[in-house]
Amino acid sequence: MERFVDVAPGARLWVEERGAPDAPALLLVMGAQASGLGWPDELVELLAARFRVIRYDHRDTGRSTWTFDEQPYPLTELAGDAVRVLDAMGVERAHLVGMSLGGMLVQLIVADRPERVLSATLIGTGALSSVPYEHPDGTRTPAEELPGVSPGLLEMWARPVEDRGPEAELERRVEHWRVLGGDRIPFDAAYAREQERRIIAHTGHHHAGTAHARADASGMDRTEALARNRAPTLIVSAPAEPVYPPPHAHHIAQAVHGARLFTIPGMGHALPREVHAPLAAAILDHAGRS
């Protein structure tokens, strides 16, 4: 089922749900500039076998309103949008799964609205915490000194994005996923291309969004609240992650009280076919325990 949800004056989000309507709700929260279709259908169907799975397009992505230039908002407002989606769907509490920026938004909800959270799963993201990372040998690294984005990805992000038509934009996105996926799981360009064709068709245009990169990112630290966390939290560790490389996943596990780690060998900052089954199994097991 698809519908549109008004989350603020002039802001309307596309929302889709799959699975039994009376099953526990599981909300998928995607990353920056990513449509809800960034969660592959195959993965969604695996989760929908046991949960009422809800995915949606952030503002300025997919079929949701693209109005940042007229109505700018801070990134924290996107966490509020996720809660407002739950409100509109009649969901009091949900299992939350967030990837990349979506993982940060889930952390904000865990910290600020814990009464809405049944469990949390964080994928490919960084901790909203200033606590140092403690290495196995007991030494510590300040959070701000943990490894950053890979040089190849930084070089790609530094290039200006020119509108050279839909096919050129499609190939740019495919190359982006090649780098995001890391260097351990063989890259399936045809699969990535088909995924992006669907997203472009869903969106109705091929233009690359930049709103989330320009949005105010201040006010997101939740060090103290995450240290008091009571929501069952799973951190997915991706060894080939180029955006939040190791040991970021371990750092989150230390920063979020009670969190536990699950490693998917070869995974990077992407959701290729090879990770669908182990990722779905980990989420189903974690949410089922909760």
Side-chain angles (χ1 to χ4, degrees), residues 39-48 271 275-277 279-280 283:
W39 298 102
D41 284 351
E42 300 93 327
L43 175 60
V44 173
E45 290 298 331
L46 289 171
L47 299 174
L271 298 172
V275 309
H276 295 174
L279 180 58
I283 295 170

Side-chain angles (χ1 to χ4, degrees), residues 163-183:
D163 186 350
R164 294 180 290 137
E167 287 303 313
E169 171 61 15
L170 179 63
E171 293 310 311
R172 185 192 70 81
R173 295 186 189 189
V174 170
E175 182 58 26
H176 190 209
W177 283 119
R178 184 190 303 276
V179 179
L180 285 171
D183 57 3

Side-chain angles (χ1 to χ4, degrees), residues 74-96:
L75 288 179
T76 52
E77 190 66 18
L78 298 181
D81 284 352
V83 174
R84 287 185 279 270
V85 167
L86 295 179
D87 291 342
M89 304 301 283
V91 175
E92 183 178 348
R93 302 179 72 199
H95 300 282
L96 307 181

Side-chain angles (χ1 to χ4, degrees), residues 98-164:
M99 182 166 183
S100 197
L101 174 62
M104 295 182 180
L105 301 180
V106 168
Q107 289 176 69
L108 290 175
I109 300 169
V110 164
D112 300 345
R113 302 297 304 274
E115 76 281 2
R116 306 302 298 269
V117 183
L118 289 171
S119 74
T121 300
L122 308 178
I123 309 164
T125 193
L128 298 184
S129 174
S130 60
V131 299
Y133 168 64
E134 184 170 337
H135 297 264
D137 64 3
T139 59
R140 294 188 172 192
T141 297
E144 64 273 14
E145 294 180 13
L146 290 174
V149 179
S150 72
L153 196 52
L154 282 176
E155 189 276 330
M156 178 172 284
W157 288 351
R159 301 175 199 163
V161 178
E162 301 175 357
D163 186 350
R164 294 180 290 137

Side-chain angles (χ1 to χ4, degrees):
M1 181 188 79
E2 300 180 32
R3 61 179 290 190
F4 287 90
V5 170
D6 293 317
V7 293
R12 174 169 289 184
L13 307 186
W14 173 86
V15 181
E16 180 203 67
E17 65 175 326
R18 298 190 186 189
D22 58 347
L26 188 151
L27 181 70
L28 299 174
V29 187
M30 242 302 150
Q33 300 305 154
S35 160
L37 266 61
W39 298 102
D41 284 351
E42 300 93 327
L43 175 60
V44 173
E45 290 298 331
L46 289 171
L47 299 174
R50 284 175 47 193
F51 291 95
R52 176 190 177 192
V53 180
I54 302 169
R55 61 178 173 175
Y56 67 100
D57 291 338
H58 293 297
R59 304 186 197 195
D60 295 277
T61 74
R63 292 184 188 172
S64 295
T65 51
W66 291 55
T67 56
F68 182 81
D69 289 334
E70 296 77 32
Q71 296 176 287
Y73 47 82
L75 288 179
T76 52
E77 190 66 18
L78 298 181
D81 284 352
V83 174
R84 287 185 279 270
V85 167
L86 295 179
D87 291 342
M89 304 301 283
V91 175
E92 183 178 348
R93 302 179 72 199
H95 300 282
L96 307 181
V97 180
M99 182 166 183
S100 197
L101 174 62
M104 295 182 180
L105 301 180
V106 168
Q107 289 176 69
L108 290 175
I109 300 169
V110 164
D112 300 345
R113 302 297 304 274
E115 76 281 2
R116 306 302 298 269
V117 183
L118 289 171
S119 74
T121 300
L122 308 178
I123 309 164
T125 193
L128 298 184
S129 174
S130 60
V131 299
Y133 168 64
E134 184 170 337
H135 297 264
D137 64 3
T139 59
R140 294 188 172 192
T141 297
E144 64 273 14
E145 294 180 13
L146 290 174
V149 179
S150 72
L153 196 52
L154 282 176
E155 189 276 330
M156 178 172 284
W157 288 351
R159 301 175 199 163
V161 178
E162 301 175 357
D163 186 350
R164 294 180 290 137
E167 287 303 313
E169 171 61 15
L170 179 63
E171 293 310 311
R172 185 192 70 81
R173 295 186 189 189
V174 170
E175 182 58 26
H176 190 209
W177 283 119
R178 184 190 303 276
V179 179
L180 285 171
D183 57 3
R184 302 190 191 180
I185 295 176
F187 181 65
D188 187 340
Y191 177 76
R193 188 173 292 108
E194 180 57 28
Q195 283 285 98
E196 287 300 325
R197 283 194 191 280
R198 291 182 62 248
I199 290 171
I200 289 172
H202 167 78
T203 303
H205 62 77
H206 66 278
H207 306 301
T210 61
H212 300 163
R214 293 183 286 136
D216 180 1
S218 64
M220 294 182 68
D221 185 276
R222 295 295 186 275
T223 301
E224 295 182 4
L226 293 176
R228 298 191 302 267
N229 169 60
R230 291 294 180 268
T233 302
L234 178 69
I235 314 299
V236 176
S237 174
E241 170 69 60
V243 182
Y244 296 98
H248 276 277
H250 290 74
H251 178 232
I252 304 175
Q254 293 176 3
V256 180
H257 178 75
R260 62 188 184 90
L261 276 166
F262 177 80
T263 300
I264 297 182
M267 185 175 178
H269 197 80
L271 298 172
R273 285 194 181 98
E274 289 84 350
V275 309
H276 295 174
L279 180 58
I283 295 170
L284 292 170
D285 175 69
H286 175 63
R289 294 186 189 190
S290 308

